Amino acid sequence: MKTLTATFGLMALSTMPAFAQMNHGMDHSNMPMSSEQVESAVHTKAIVNAIGDGTANVSHGPIPEIGWPAMTMDLPVLENAEMMGEISAGDEVTLMLVKGSDGMYSIGAMMPN
């Protein structure tokens, strides 16, 4: 029993770095952005209304971390944004919003729920 407990303990410790890099099911470890951007990223659920060249129109609930009420809005999609799976209009997704040096938020990643 002690061996089994020790084995599970070692397994948990060895996987902690991977879990530390994940947030809301998104693995941020390979994203081409600064660690500050990843650490300050905000995650929210949204409905995709439309996806265009470099933008996405989404409807989201309140995002208290950044003081946003529920709204429908166009958000820029970063050129290197990670799109995790097939995403179409009408899909519910989790967005990772990244604050740029201009203080504006953009979509850094989008994952279907």
Side-chain angles (χ1 to χ4, degrees), residues 26-35 37-38 53-55 76-84 96-100 105-110:
M26 291 184 181
D27 180 357
H28 302 320
S29 62
N30 294 321
M31 291 186 168
M33 55 186 72
S34 72
S35 59
Q37 285 178 308
V38 171
D53 285 339
T55 64
V77 178
L78 296 176
E79 186 175 315
N80 57 359
E82 188 166 344
M83 303 304 243
M84 301 173 190
M96 180 180 84
L97 302 177
V98 179
K99 189 174 185 177
Y105 284 89
S106 299
I107 297 173
M110 189 182 301

Side-chain angles (χ1 to χ4, degrees), residues 32-111:
M33 55 186 72
S34 72
S35 59
E36 292 83 22
Q37 285 178 308
V38 171
E39 288 174 20
S40 65
V42 176
H43 296 81
T44 190
K45 292 186 187 286
I47 300 293
V48 175
N49 301 311
I51 298 177
D53 285 339
T55 64
N57 180 276
V58 298
S59 298
H60 61 78
I63 308 174
E65 299 92 337
I66 56 178
W68 285 5
M71 65 179 119
T72 297
M73 64 187 303
D74 289 326
L75 280 168
V77 178
L78 296 176
E79 186 175 315
N80 57 359
E82 188 166 344
M83 303 304 243
M84 301 173 190
E86 294 293 319
I87 299 169
S88 302
D91 289 349
E92 182 178 346
V93 298
T94 297
L95 302 175
M96 180 180 84
L97 302 177
V98 179
K99 189 174 185 177
S101 58
D102 59 358
M104 304 301 288
Y105 284 89
S106 299
I107 297 173
M110 189 182 301
M111 179 181 77

Side-chain angles (χ1 to χ4, degrees), residues 6-23:
T7 302
F8 282 127
L10 286 173
M11 285 173 53
L13 287 174
S14 67
T15 59
M16 285 180 84
F19 286 118
Q21 295 296 322
M22 295 183 75
N23 196 344

